[in-house]
Amino acid sequence: MRSLPLKLAPGSDLRLSLEELAQRDGISGFVLGVVGNLTKASFQCPGQAEPTVLEGDLEVITLNGTFSPEGVHLHLSLSDGACQVWGGHLEPGTIVQKGVDLLVGVLEQREGSPAHQSSTPRLEIAVLPGCPWCSRALRILRTLDLPHTVTTVNDDAAFQAVQQRSGMTTFPQVFIDGSVIGGYDNLAAMQAAGELDALR
């Protein structure tokens, strides 16, 4: 294992930054430590249908979990201005205020190991930051533990590239084996029919 320090600038999305790092560099690992503050936090509490969203001066207390090119599983705890502690499953839409410093542990992969030989996941999803339907679609994939890659559309060029590929203007956009299957409703219908199990 090797340690890797990360500095996230104001306005960065905490979850999406780790997803993009793992996908861009093809690395897997876990969070060793974190300090920093947030202007907005989005996290999934147990038993709740929708993520809880807090805004204001928020101090990060802990961030625990794992990341890989197939996705992330991260738990966040934080304190608000009244020193009340909140926590849950980290969701997209958690925005850095002045800065966040992370230390992550990157797992070294050996040639010939199963992780090194793994192929690209069959399932891909393109999302917009802060999109509630995108968050719901990602939650389905995490709940089913389906390997997938995430493309975050942050600018016009990325939007045009994804639109040309799918022919769609709405998000999320879900692809299986390179072909678009539609958006959240299509993914949810496949889940209900048990058609996603074959993608494990």
Side-chain angles (χ1 to χ4, degrees):
M1 184 194 77
R2 63 184 173 90
S3 58
L4 177 66
L6 301 173
K7 285 186 173 290
L8 301 187
S12 302
D13 186 299
L14 181 56
R15 180 190 168 100
L16 296 182
S17 295
L18 284 168
E19 286 183 348
E20 290 169 0
L21 169 72
Q23 292 172 19
R24 184 188 70 232
D25 296 346
I27 58 176
S28 300
F30 48 93
V31 178
L32 298 172
V34 61
V35 292
N37 49 26
L38 307 169
T39 186
K40 180 180 178 183
S42 178
F43 50 93
Q44 185 69 37
C45 296
Q48 300 299 311
E50 297 294 333
T52 297
V53 178
L54 299 179
E55 296 189 52
D57 293 322
L58 308 171
E59 191 75 18
V60 179
I61 299 175
T62 63
L63 182 66
N64 296 305
T66 60
F67 59 88
S68 73
E70 288 74 39
V72 302
H73 189 165
L74 298 164
H75 292 174
L76 171 74
S77 68
L78 64 147
S79 173
D80 62 18
C83 286
Q84 182 176 357
V85 176
W86 300 77
H89 192 285
L90 179 64
E91 295 286 341
T94 298
I95 307 301
V96 173
Q97 187 181 61
K98 296 179 181 177
V100 166
D101 291 329
L102 288 160
L103 183 64
V104 299
V106 178
L107 300 175
E108 302 291 353
Q109 295 180 355
R110 298 178 180 175
E111 292 287 337
S113 69
H116 190 273
Q117 294 173 351
S118 63
S119 59
T120 301
R122 296 177 58 193
L123 197 149
E124 305 168 68
I125 182 168
V127 300
L128 289 177
C131 163
W133 296 106
C134 298
S135 296
R136 292 177 185 179
L138 290 169
R139 198 172 307 124
I140 288 176
L141 302 183
R142 287 196 305 270
T143 300
L144 297 178
D145 196 24
L146 291 174
H148 60 280
T149 58
V150 180
T151 299
T152 303
V153 177
N154 286 317
D155 53 40
D156 290 342
F159 178 88
Q160 291 173 0
V162 173
Q163 181 185 15
Q164 288 177 357
R165 183 179 176 198
S166 67
M168 296 172 58
T169 58
T170 58
F171 287 85
Q173 298 180 14
V174 183
F175 302 82
I176 295 178
D177 294 331
S179 299
V180 65
I181 64 157
Y184 171 80
D185 289 342
N186 304 88
L187 184 69
M190 291 185 70
Q191 177 195 21
E195 297 173 359
L196 296 177
D197 294 339
L199 298 176
R200 283 195 178 88

